[in-house]
Every structure is written in structure tokens, then in C-alpha cells.
Amino acid sequence: MPLPQLTRSARPATVSIAATNERGEQTSTLIAGEHALTIYLDRREIVTLMTMGAAPEALVLGYLRNQRLIADIEEIAAVQVDWETDSAAVTTRTGAHDIDAQMGRRTVTSGCGQGTMFGDLMQSIEQTRLPEGGRLASATLATLLDRVRQHESVYKQAGAVHGCALADADGNILMFVEDVGRHNAVDAIAGQMWLEGVVGGDKIFYTTGRLTSEMVIKAAQMGIPFLVSRSGLTQMGFEIAERLGLTMIGRAHAGRYLLFTGQQRFVRDEANG
Amino acid sequence: MPLPQLTRSARPATVSIAATNERGEQTSTLIAGEHALTIYLDRREIVTLMTMGAAPEALVLGYLRNQRLIADIEEIAAVQVDWETDSAAVTTRTGAHDIDAQMGRRTVTSGCGQGTMFGDLMQSIEQTRLPEGGRLASATLATLLDRVRQHESVYKQAGAVHGCALADADGNILMFVEDVGRHNAVDAIAGQMWLEGVVGGDKIFYTTGRLTSEMVIKAAQMGIPFLVSRSGLTQMGFEIAERLGLTMIGRAHAGRYLLFTGQQRFVRDEANG
């Protein structure tokens, strides 16, 4: 079965606006792009996301995957993003996808406070088994953090975005997405992994965002045992990571970090801290 | 008509967990509390929010107000938060509130990428008129920022939370709420304002979070003409603030700031920058 047909409709990451600084000087400053994108699944309106639009097709795929609206990427015939109408039209091969049941069982959870999830997400997460074999050495963590530091271009230019990276077991960045919403950035990576058939079991997921319940759940959904963040964590993020046995590291920045859960997969090299 | 009966069910703001730092040392660290809270409106399930739980009753009121599910606080007879069942039971005086229509017209927008709003929010915002008479002097801004800096206790202890403050025209903090989600913090302040009958027209709203579309919309919904953030802004936040004529200041931190929109209400005092 062929992969879905995709448009390639990335938007410019930043726009320049005028502002006045604290000295009363006119200055121009770059800000992150932000656009409404309404997803239609077989002509049925699903959701409107606010996105920077760096990888809209991957975002749409990842959203459908992480919300468990589509089980298999081969069900999807096409994703057509059209910024004239701010819409993403998703066509399935069967053309009559039964999402009403799923929409009905909708629950709304949140990492940013008020996000949206569907159906029996928490229940299915309980059955997730993350691979136990992998190891993350502190030297690899240092490599990854160094590469991320060099990579975050929109954040450096404009702030106000979150970045996510998927890295291999050596700390090499395989995918990197920034967006105005950290959940969008995660979903875009999930979509790209789906498209390329990339498995999560031997990967490391990095986010600049906080380690909330939803972030931990999404890492687990992608089957990724290592979750690293520059930011801190919340109580439910901690509790779910502990229950799943995910190896979670936070406040990873400027040579420092805190290992919170899943210690058995982490190998500290004395030389590298 | 009396005000709603409310429980007073605040949760502890932080919990202590064990972690391992970059030197391999065991350490204990404080993290922000995070709890699921499901809102029932006349026994109908509306949403599950993840919240620190510092001001759950105000959060519930503000959510209902900002989502435009209830037009007048006097319609509400009681808000009962029960952490045994992680639920907030809202009872209206009529007891048969017609929210199905509203839920049906649901659109989902986002500031954090994937938030939830209902109905014709954007349309109603277009009709918002913010008062033109107020002025914000740079000295007042400096006072406000200084008070906020001294106030953010959970953030200082545990990170991973956003804070919001409502201040009067002299920069005095009237309300301050922190939560794991910045939209929850805003909603809790909106709920408290509703409860106390506080109007927004002569107030300043401060947030540690980014100035996204949703943040600007919520400030406008509360009728507040001044929006100040420590963080940056996104394109839609900028565009909506400009359209509404809101006075918006970002990257306000350590003596610096950028004035983005609504310059006519800002008075720069040479002595204070």
C-alpha cells in the first residue's frame, strides 16, 4: 500500500514586526508565525490547531495518530494543506471513517492545562510496555544537549516557540520541529515517524517544554523509553513516567540535569557527569 | 440574588520527590502539584482540566465564563470541588442549562497549540471595545514587574508553572494565581473577578506565559486593556491585539521590555525607562 500523498506547505517560521523598547527606541523584532489550521477528516471537521506551520502535513498525521483517530497510516490516502482556506483535508482510503464513536467517547485532558485528547487514551497507556534493554549514557545525553543547543533557530530568533527533537541512541538528531505549541511539535514528530516507519524503542525524545502528563503519555505512545527536557516536571508527569518505567530527565541545561525516573536505563559516566 | 456556594478545596502547591543530579547525588526536589479535575455542569460532563489546584473553584467559574457556557454568575447556585472523586459539580439555579447547543457549535482553538474553546468566541471578540481612557506609565510597569518578581513562590520553588496577576492602575497586585497550565491561571483570575464583581477596564493583566492568540482573547474577554508578559508573542497574538487596540507589552523582565501594540495608552517616563 502506498504512503499518503502530501502537500508540502510549510509557512515561513518568523515574521518581523515593529516594537518600542524600554529606551523608547523603535525596533523591529522577529516573532514566531502562528496560523489557524482546521483539520477535516473525510470532510468532517475535527479540530482547529494554532501552528507555526513548519511541518503542517506531519502535524496533521501526528495529531490523527496521537489522538488515535486513525490506527494505521496506510488508511490515509492524502493530506492536503491549503493556506488559502487554512485547512488540511485528510482523505482516507475507505472514505467513510467511523470517527463518530471516537468523538463521542471524547475526554479532554491537558498538559498545557486545557488540551484535547480522545477516547480511552489513559487506559491504553496502561498497557504500554517500553523496551527495557536500551541504555542512555551521560556522555550521550551531553552530546544530545549540545546538538539541540546548536539547532534551535526559531527559538533563538523569536522566542515563544517550543522545540522537540528525536535522536538516535548516539545522541544524533534525526528530526527537529519547533512550533508555537509544544504539543504540535510533538505531534509533528510523531507524524514524521509514522510516515517514515521509524520505531521509538531505541530513540531519545527531547523537548524544551515541561514534562507534563500529556508529554509523558505522548512519548509512551511513540514507544520511546527516554524523555529529556530543559524544563521541569509536574506531579502527574512524574507519576505516569514512574508507572510506565520511562527514563525521564529534566532541567537538562548548561551541564546540569535531574534524573527523575527509570534510573535502570541511565549509565552515568564519571568523566562526563 | 446570592453568589454561588463554593467549597474551599485548594490542594498543596508542591510535592517533594527524589531525583539524581548530574554528579550522581541523590537529591530531593519540589515539583508542582498536578491533578485531574472533571467539571460537571448540572451533572453533564464538560471537560477534564489538569490543574495545580490552588484555586479550583475560581478556575471552574472562570472556565465556564471564558468558554461562554454561563453568561451570568447569578445563574450558578454552587460549585463543589471534591478531590476524592477529582470532580467539580456545578449546579445552576434553573437546573436545566441548555449547553448542548453550545457544545455543538464547538470549535477548538489554541494558544498552547491544542486548547479548547466553544462557540462563536472569535466573532464576539470582534465586537469587544476596550476602554481608551486608561494610561499605563513606565514607572507603574516597573512597580508591577517588581511586585510580580517578589510574588512567584511556586515557580521559584518548583518551576514548571505559569503565573498570572491582576493589578490595579498603580501596579498593585490584586490577585495572583499560578497553575501548571497558563490558561488555567488566567481562567482562575477571570473566575475570581466574576465572583467579586471586579471590572477589567482599569486593570493590568500580567502573565509569565507567551502572548498567544488565546491569551489576548482572554484579556479582551475580561475587558482588560493592558496585557504584560515576561515572554514573547506569536503572530496571531500580535494581530488580534492590534485589531482590538489592546496595549500589549512583552519580554518584560530585568528592566527591559518591548511595547508591541496599543502605544496610545503607554506613557514612557524618561527617568524610569
Side-chain angles (χ1 to χ4, degrees):
Chain A
M1 189 88 77
L3 287 172
Q5 287 200 306
L6 305 179
T7 50
R8 285 176 164 275
S9 305
R11 299 291 300 256
T14 58
V15 292
S16 178
I17 61 161
T20 308
N21 71 15
E22 69 281 356
R23 293 185 297 274
E25 300 159 350
Q26 295 296 309
T27 176
S28 78
T29 186
L30 287 176
I31 62 173
E34 187 186 23
H35 313 279
L37 181 66
T38 302
I39 302 177
Y40 296 86
L41 179 55
D42 290 330
R43 296 172 185 261
R44 190 190 196 292
E45 183 175 338
I46 301 293
V47 74
T48 298
L49 304 176
M50 299 297 178
T51 177
M52 200 169 80
E57 296 83 6
L59 168 61
V60 170
L61 289 173
Y63 184 86
L64 296 175
R65 178 189 185 187
N66 279 344
Q67 299 291 342
R68 311 216 164 186
L69 289 169
I70 302 272
D72 187 335
I73 194 164
E74 298 191 342
E75 292 177 43
I76 302 173
V79 177
Q80 292 167 289
V81 172
D82 174 10
W83 292 113
E84 291 291 316
T85 53
D86 289 340
S87 68
V90 181
T91 322
T92 63
R93 295 189 193 281
T94 56
H97 196 73
D98 178 29
I99 57 165
D100 287 320
Q102 223 132 350
M103 298 289 281
R105 281 181 297 131
R106 180 176 191 141
T107 65
V108 183
T109 66
S110 172
C112 54
Q114 296 172 359
T116 306
M117 306 287 273
F118 294 96
D120 45 2
L121 184 56
M122 279 305 295
Q123 240 180 317
S124 69
I125 282 298
E126 296 286 335
Q127 292 147 23
T128 299
R129 290 289 167 271
L130 294 169
E132 277 304 328
R135 291 291 175 271
L136 174 61
S138 53
T140 307
L141 177 65
T143 300
L144 168 62
L145 294 174
D146 201 51
R147 292 192 176 153
V148 163
R149 191 175 51 77
Q150 293 170 28
H151 206 295
E152 272 177 76
S153 56
V154 175
Y155 181 78
K156 280 179 204 158
Q157 283 180 53
V161 297
H162 278 293
C164 283
L166 183 76
D168 67 16
D170 297 321
N172 301 307
I173 293 176
L174 305 174
M175 300 174 190
F176 188 90
V177 177
E178 288 171 292
D179 207 322
V180 286
R182 65 176 185 278
H183 297 297
N184 287 347
V186 184
D187 283 353
I189 285 189
Q192 197 64 31
M193 289 173 72
W194 217 23
L195 200 59
E196 298 181 11
V198 172
V199 296
D202 57 349
K203 303 299 186 303
I204 310 165
F205 194 83
Y206 173 86
T207 171
T208 59
R210 293 170 295 151
L211 299 165
T212 57
S213 48
E214 199 160 349
M215 192 58 71
V216 173
I217 288 169
K218 288 191 174 178
Q221 277 183 302
M222 296 186 277
I224 300 174
F226 300 103
L227 178 57
V228 178
S229 170
R230 186 169 63 192
S231 300
L233 83 169
T234 63
Q235 189 176 359
M236 287 192 68
F238 176 72
E239 287 170 359
I240 298 172
E242 206 170 37
R243 209 183 310 152
L244 297 174
L246 187 100
T247 297
M248 188 167 71
I249 294 165
R251 303 197 194 152
H253 187 56
R256 305 192 62 179
Y257 61 83
L258 286 175
L259 170 63
F260 292 118
T261 56
Q263 285 84 354
Q264 74 281 1
R265 289 195 204 85
F266 190 76
V267 183
R268 195 173 151 270
D269 172 358
E270 291 295 329
N272 285 281
Chain B
M1 188 89 73
L3 286 172
Q5 286 200 305
L6 305 179
T7 49
R8 287 177 163 274
S9 304
R11 299 291 299 256
T14 57
V15 292
S16 178
I17 62 161
T20 308
N21 71 14
E22 68 282 356
R23 294 185 296 274
E25 299 159 351
Q26 295 295 310
T27 176
S28 78
T29 186
L30 287 175
I31 62 173
E34 187 186 23
H35 313 279
L37 181 66
T38 302
I39 302 177
Y40 295 86
L41 179 55
D42 290 330
R43 296 173 186 258
R44 190 191 196 292
E45 182 175 338
I46 301 293
V47 73
T48 299
L49 304 176
M50 298 297 178
T51 176
M52 199 169 80
E57 295 84 6
L59 168 61
V60 170
L61 288 172
Y63 184 87
L64 297 175
R65 177 189 186 186
N66 280 343
Q67 299 292 339
R68 312 218 161 183
L69 288 169
I70 303 271
D72 188 335
I73 195 166
E74 298 192 342
E75 293 177 42
I76 301 173
V79 178
Q80 292 167 290
V81 172
D82 174 9
W83 291 112
E84 292 290 314
T85 53
D86 289 340
S87 68
V90 181
T91 320
T92 63
R93 293 189 194 281
T94 55
H97 195 73
D98 178 30
I99 56 164
D100 287 320
Q102 222 131 352
M103 299 289 280
R105 281 181 297 130
R106 178 177 194 141
T107 63
V108 183
T109 66
S110 171
C112 54
Q114 295 173 0
T116 306
M117 306 288 272
F118 295 95
D120 45 1
L121 184 56
M122 279 304 295
Q123 238 181 318
S124 70
I125 283 299
E126 296 287 334
Q127 291 147 24
T128 300
R129 291 287 166 272
L130 294 169
E132 277 305 325
R135 291 292 176 269
L136 174 61
S138 52
T140 307
L141 177 65
T143 300
L144 168 63
L145 294 174
D146 200 51
R147 292 191 177 155
V148 163
R149 191 174 52 78
Q150 293 168 29
H151 206 295
E152 273 177 73
S153 56
V154 175
Y155 181 77
K156 280 181 204 157
Q157 282 179 56
V161 297
H162 279 291
C164 283
L166 183 75
D168 68 16
D170 297 321
N172 300 307
I173 294 176
L174 305 175
M175 299 174 190
F176 187 90
V177 178
E178 289 171 291
D179 207 322
V180 287
R182 65 176 185 277
H183 298 296
N184 287 347
V186 184
D187 284 352
I189 285 189
Q192 196 64 32
M193 289 173 72
W194 216 22
L195 199 59
E196 298 180 10
V198 172
V199 295
D202 56 349
K203 302 299 186 303
I204 310 165
F205 194 83
Y206 173 86
T207 170
T208 60
R210 293 171 293 151
L211 299 165
T212 57
S213 49
E214 199 159 349
M215 193 57 70
V216 173
I217 289 169
K218 288 191 173 177
Q221 277 184 301
M222 294 185 279
I224 301 174
F226 299 104
L227 178 57
V228 178
S229 170
R230 186 168 64 191
S231 300
L233 83 169
T234 65
Q235 189 177 359
M236 287 192 66
F238 175 72
E239 287 169 0
I240 298 172
E242 207 170 37
R243 208 181 312 154
L244 297 175
L246 186 100
T247 297
M248 186 166 73
I249 294 164
R251 303 195 194 153
H253 186 55
R256 306 192 62 179
Y257 62 82
L258 286 175
L259 170 63
F260 291 119
T261 56
Q263 285 83 353
Q264 74 281 2
R265 289 195 203 85
F266 190 76
V267 183
R268 194 173 152 271
D269 172 359
E270 290 296 328
N272 286 281

